[in-house]
Amino acid sequence: DADVTQTPRNRITKTGKRIMLECSQTKGHDRMYWYRQDPGLGLRLIYYSFDVKDINKGEISDGYSVSRQAQAKFSLSLESAIPNQTALYFCATSDRLSIETQYFGPGTRLLVL
Amino acid sequence: AQSVTQLGSHVSVSEGALVLLRCNYSSSVPPYLFWYVQYPNQGLQLLLKYTTGATLVKGINGFEAEFKKSETSFHLTKPSAHMSDAAEYFCAVTRRSNNNDMRFGAGTRLTVKP
């Protein structure tokens, strides 16, 4: 579903580097989320945002930061990447009128060496 | 906090056979329950959801799931598997009052044999 896009789709970086993953949506949703997926662990919530001025930590926010530049854009940053941040990262959105249903982007596969 | 347990990280069925993927949840408040499917190299796609009302919910691609409060279960079924059903399936739960705390199961990889 091209309504939620993520860039880059794949990224290799080195320990200690700062990187940013970007998410854009054309669905007009006000709520956006960042998850990471690890084999055998499912998806875990990193950060979520209910609007541009409302950002909240999720289950596993340590080592990450986010920026909601506009309603349609939500970026995830790793200030100093470490190998255990190697994972598949997903952005998701939901609408305030149907908040229980989230729409996911295609994911960004990140490898930290 | 709520949680989800998916029994079986891998399930293999023959084409045409019944698909049964198991999900049990834990929640201290009435839950919203979901099944998502993830095809290779793609994001998650909503298959079906239970919020309120009828406990048997039908989703896309012939899948359905039944909310059983007494068993705290939300198992996913499909009468006849197709090759195209091969994917990873995730069960998820959130509280009715607050969906920012959605919890996912570890996933079940479904293989369909010809």
Side-chain angles (χ1 to χ4, degrees):
Chain A
D1 188 337
D3 295 329
V4 184
T5 58
Q6 293 183 234
T7 57
R9 293 293 312 277
N10 294 280
R11 178 74 184 269
I12 300 174
T13 192
K14 295 181 178 180
T15 297
K17 295 292 187 181
R18 181 182 188 277
I19 67 165
M20 179 182 290
L21 310 183
E22 300 186 342
C23 175
S24 295
Q25 53 117 345
T26 58
K27 300 185 77 68
H29 290 169
D30 51 350
R31 300 179 177 212
M32 298 186 74
Y33 310 81
W34 274 106
Y35 291 91
R36 66 176 279 174
Q37 181 182 19
D38 298 278
L41 294 179
L43 277 74
R44 292 178 291 167
L45 183 63
I46 305 172
Y47 271 95
Y48 60 98
S49 170
F50 285 174
D51 64 39
V52 175
K53 298 179 182 179
D54 183 4
I55 293 178
N56 305 277
K57 293 182 177 180
E59 184 183 357
I60 54 163
S61 60
D62 288 348
Y64 302 94
S65 63
V66 292
S67 173
R68 185 85 182 265
Q69 302 93 323
Q71 186 193 39
K73 296 185 181 294
F74 192 36
S75 299
L76 175 72
S77 294
L78 285 67
E79 299 300 327
S80 179
I82 56 177
N84 76 0
Q85 292 178 312
T86 293
L88 186 55
Y89 289 84
F90 286 103
C91 174
T93 73
S94 67
D95 183 84
R96 69 180 68 185
L97 297 180
S98 183
I99 62 173
E100 74 278 4
T101 302
Q102 297 186 11
Y103 297 86
F104 286 80
T108 294
R109 190 171 298 277
L110 175 65
L111 173 61
V112 183
L113 300 175
Chain B
Q2 60 270 32
S3 65
V4 167
T5 301
Q6 292 184 238
L7 299 177
S9 58
H10 291 87
V11 171
S12 181
V13 300
S14 298
E15 192 172 20
L18 171 71
V19 176
L20 171 61
L21 304 182
R22 299 177 186 274
C23 172
N24 287 88
Y25 71 91
S26 172
S27 180
S28 59
V29 298
Y32 284 165
L33 294 158
F34 307 82
W35 275 100
Y36 285 88
V37 60
Q38 184 180 30
Y39 298 104
N41 299 313
Q42 295 186 27
L44 278 70
Q45 178 183 358
L46 182 66
L47 266 181
L48 50 80
K49 63 181 180 182
Y50 168 78
T51 53
T52 58
T55 56
L56 181 63
V57 293
K58 296 183 184 299
I60 61 173
N61 301 336
F63 284 93
E64 62 182 37
E66 186 171 11
F67 170 58
K68 293 187 176 181
K69 183 178 179 181
S70 61
E71 298 178 8
T72 61
S73 68
F74 191 58
H75 302 330
L76 181 70
T77 61
K78 182 174 181 178
S80 177
H82 294 172
M83 296 297 291
S84 60
D85 294 328
E88 189 152 22
Y89 293 79
F90 293 92
C91 184
V93 63
T94 189
R95 292 171 289 174
R96 292 184 180 181
S97 61
N98 189 349
N99 89 312
N100 56 279
D101 194 21
M102 186 173 287
R103 299 299 175 106
F104 288 82
T108 297
R109 183 167 299 279
L110 176 66
T111 301
V112 182
K113 299 175 291 185

